[in-house]
Amino acid sequence: MKQGKIMRALVLALAVSPAFAQTTTTAPPSGRLLASNCFQCHGTNGSGGLERLAGESVSEIYNELKEMQRKSPPKMMDMHARGYTDAQIRLIADYLSKQR
Amino acid sequence: MVKRRDFIKWAGASGIGFAAGAFDMLAMAEETSAAFVPVIPTNTGIKGNVVVIGGGMAGATAAKYLRYWGGTGVTVTLIERDATYASNIMSNLVLNGSRTMSSLQYGYGKLASSYGVKIVKGDVVAIDPVGRSVTLGSGTRYAYDRLVIAPGVDFDVLPGLETATAQAKVPHAWKAGPQTTTLRNMITAMPTNGSGVFVMTIPAKPYRCPPGPYERACVVADWLKRNRPGSKVIVLDANPEIIAEKHSFEEGFALHGIEYRPNTTVLSVDASTMTLDTNNGKVPGAVLNVIPPHRAGKVITANGLADADGKWTSVDVLSYEAKLAPGIHVIGDASATTQPKAGHIANQEAKVCADAILRMFSGRALDQAPVTNSACYSPITFETASWLTVTFAYDPVSKTMLPVPASAGEASARSKDNFEEMNKWFTALMGDTFA
């Protein structure tokens, strides 16, 4: 009953809430959200943790991830690397290489 | 040529003992995180006002990244009832005495000082989804453009566990805190002649941290074997089989002589005779560690935000916006998704949510291909661990996060190296969440 009441109220709210205006905001850098998967073990922005990644070259990060995808038997990071497509790895490498 | 990553691995494994190793790594990690000085951008042009309810792994991460990525134009208020967060991750190591509860406390000081998150201590008593505001027990009202709710889990009350007295005798210790210490004390109080039986129960999935209960059984059995030899550990699992890291835990259960009974559900608890009644008969124990079935934290269920089953909130996993409650995002354990309920993936769900909210504030399309990952290490003994990992990618057909099969796997064997890596992982994850 309570839920129904909230739902009805929300439908009403939807109808009256203003659309978000297009503003002159900075676009989020491509690769940032993908690369944030790295931050959990390598520190925010790749700043440290198990190993610092920020500022490594694109080719260093890209090649290392590609190598990990083939490594057998896989350790945890080798397994994790297998979760990304080639295009995603390029985006991640590009983003991390630009961090300081 | 020695690669840097390998060098660090060798250096970390160079014959240092467990205790020294753990302390060295903590010191190293603190230095690393101290070196990271975030700059909150002033020029993103993004403006908005977000209230976050709950300062656990999901809520703290969302608050941090809304400011770190969104900049000074985004106001973030984090409402949390406790002064510190007690980490569930690693709390099983309090049970064998290798960690203390005080070492698992995380404060909100860095979120405030480094990121400019407004920290408000309090309990939310009402949500107004139409007027877009939340009200605290104190009566103070906070308006929002977007609300993020991350309350974690609450527990069903099993028959026989209605009173505080019964709950104190039969703790779940599945929310790290005083019950964790209570359970530790019960384990150390088990008879030295080895006649004691430790019984723990696992609810049907989904519950918080799929490998966690099996890990706990291993850690406790390992401690008992060395300190109360002859004692027994019995695991009653409502699930038909071990649901995470099956290989590692089957080996662990064999190593420790743990008795595992699948398809066994607790019907009621008799705290006075210390006996469980199950669908497979009565089971007495010197220590009863009953983990009841879960549901989303009370702020979800009390405000009509749960699905028809009354347990969890269905969300759009491109933004974690509740399917039936526009403007309200639910992240972490409380949301119903195809992803596990656990701290590591909650941190990543929070980043997807923060990114989506910032895009909404600037009128941009949502990222249509988010990736999240679940990863964890599980101690099997006091000095060895296994691991588990899987990434999830958005599937536009089912509109769910699907596991990437090639990325799903567990450790081939428990090892001391894994245990050392676990400490580094934990320090880094908590740093990414709270610092």
Side-chain angles (χ1 to χ4, degrees):
Chain A
M1 181 126 126
K2 180 162 194 183
Q3 194 173 2
K5 197 171 140 197
I6 287 186
M7 289 314 149
R8 277 196 301 279
L10 284 171
V11 169
L12 239 156
L14 249 193
V16 296
S17 66
F20 288 107
Q22 276 289 340
T23 50
T24 51
T25 55
T26 315
S30 56
R32 186 177 69 184
L33 185 56
L34 272 174
S36 69
N37 280 287
C38 310
F39 303 173
Q40 300 176 306
C41 299
H42 296 274
T44 301
N45 259 19
S47 56
L50 272 98
E51 181 195 343
R52 186 180 167 84
L53 299 174
E56 285 195 8
S57 72
V58 174
S59 61
E60 194 177 358
I61 299 168
Y62 176 83
N63 291 334
E64 211 158 355
L65 283 167
K66 295 302 279 188
E67 199 180 302
M68 285 170 168
Q69 288 189 325
R70 293 186 296 267
K71 217 177 254 181
S72 186
K75 301 183 82 173
M76 186 198 264
M77 185 57 219
D78 304 325
M79 240 21 252
H80 180 71
R82 289 155 160 85
Y84 301 94
T85 64
D86 188 71
Q88 288 171 331
I89 286 179
R90 285 181 195 282
L91 284 171
I92 290 170
D94 182 64
Y95 181 78
L96 289 173
S97 72
K98 289 173 180 157
Q99 305 310 307
R100 293 292 174 265
Chain B
M1 193 176 87
V2 177
K3 295 191 86 168
R4 190 146 50 103
R5 185 166 285 128
D6 292 334
F7 173 74
I8 289 172
K9 202 188 87 202
W10 294 340
S14 59
I16 39 180
F18 154 63
F23 283 122
D24 286 352
M25 282 182 284
L26 288 175
M28 202 170 82
E30 271 164 26
E31 276 170 32
T32 309
S33 57
F36 176 68
V37 182
V39 177
I40 308 303
T42 56
N43 58 352
T44 66
I46 303 173
K47 285 189 169 47
N49 178 22
V50 184
V51 169
V52 180
I53 303 174
M57 301 300 288
T61 305
K64 164 175 165 170
Y65 277 91
L66 280 163
R67 290 281 299 181
Y68 185 48
W69 288 344
T72 51
V74 181
T75 305
V76 179
T77 306
L78 176 64
I79 301 171
E80 164 59 47
R81 68 164 72 94
D82 294 323
T84 58
Y85 170 71
S87 174
N88 292 301
I89 301 177
M90 301 303 238
S91 67
N92 279 337
L93 290 180
V94 173
L95 301 179
N96 72 357
S98 55
R99 287 202 178 235
T100 61
M101 274 313 297
S102 59
S103 77
L104 295 177
Q105 306 297 321
Y106 293 83
Y108 301 102
K110 283 265 172 66
L111 293 184
S113 63
S114 301
Y115 299 91
V117 173
K118 295 177 185 175
I119 310 294
V120 173
K121 195 164 180 292
D123 247 318
V124 172
V125 294
I127 297 172
D128 175 1
V130 181
R132 298 209 172 194
S133 72
V134 300
T135 306
L136 304 193
S138 62
T140 314
R141 205 177 62 88
Y142 292 87
Y144 66 81
D145 298 324
R146 294 260 149 199
L147 176 63
V148 178
I149 311 184
V153 298
D154 211 344
F155 301 94
D156 290 358
V157 179
L158 292 171
L161 287 180
E162 294 86 356
T163 65
T165 316
Q167 288 168 16
K169 286 185 79 175
V170 184
H172 53 71
W174 210 240
K175 189 172 271 187
Q179 284 204 356
T180 313
T181 306
T182 302
L183 188 59
R184 161 68 179 160
N185 293 339
M186 287 175 169
I187 293 165
T188 55
M190 280 175 69
T192 50
N193 67 6
S195 64
V197 179
F198 177 95
V199 182
M200 66 172 292
T201 76
I202 306 173
K205 63 180 183 183
Y207 59 82
R208 164 182 279 169
C209 187
Y214 308 105
E215 166 191 306
R216 174 176 289 180
C218 286
V219 165
V220 170
D222 177 55
W223 187 87
L224 290 172
K225 204 165 61 183
R226 287 178 291 107
N227 297 279
R228 302 288 184 275
S231 307
K232 196 170 179 183
V233 171
I234 299 175
V235 176
L236 309 179
D237 193 346
N239 299 288
E241 59 176 3
I242 293 173
I243 65 167
E245 288 177 65
K246 194 161 186 274
H247 162 75
S248 300
F249 290 122
E250 277 177 350
E251 284 198 351
F253 283 15
L255 174 75
H256 298 309
I258 294 169
E259 187 180 325
Y260 177 65
R261 302 184 193 169
N263 294 310
T264 304
T265 305
V266 180
L267 304 174
S268 67
V269 179
D270 188 339
S272 60
T273 61
M274 291 297 279
T275 304
L276 303 178
D277 191 17
T278 78
N279 59 323
N280 289 322
K282 291 191 189 302
V283 185
V287 177
L288 301 179
N289 175 210
V290 172
I291 304 174
H294 303 11
R295 59 187 60 223
K298 201 178 163 195
V299 72
I300 293 287
T301 51
N303 286 288
L305 293 167
D307 296 345
D309 66 2
K311 288 183 178 289
W312 316 104
T313 307
S314 288
V315 296
D316 171 1
V317 286
L318 290 180
S319 64
Y320 291 86
E321 187 165 16
K323 285 184 177 166
L324 297 175
I328 299 178
H329 303 249
V330 179
I331 51 176
D333 297 349
S335 61
T337 76
T338 53
Q339 300 159 114
K341 300 184 184 302
H344 183 99
I345 198 159
N347 164 293
Q348 198 57 31
E349 290 175 14
K351 290 169 188 160
V352 175
C353 175
D355 179 78
I357 288 175
L358 297 173
R359 286 167 185 267
M360 288 170 165
F361 282 154
S362 36
R364 289 176 196 283
L366 300 179
D367 188 324
Q368 296 297 310
V371 172
T372 60
N373 79 93
S374 185
C376 70
Y377 294 82
S378 299
I380 304 292
T381 68
F382 72 100
E383 60 176 1
T384 63
S386 60
W387 54 257
L388 174 70
T389 187
V390 57
T391 60
F392 290 84
Y394 184 71
D395 169 41
V397 177
S398 65
K399 296 187 164 57
T400 62
M401 299 297 290
L402 291 185
V404 178
S407 74
E410 64 172 299
S412 55
R414 63 182 175 272
S415 74
K416 292 184 181 181
D417 278 358
N418 290 341
F419 197 95
E420 290 182 6
E421 261 186 29
M422 171 179 74
N423 287 320
K424 295 182 198 173
W425 157 72
F426 176 62
T427 305
L429 178 64
M430 300 316 275
D432 188 42
T433 304
F434 291 97

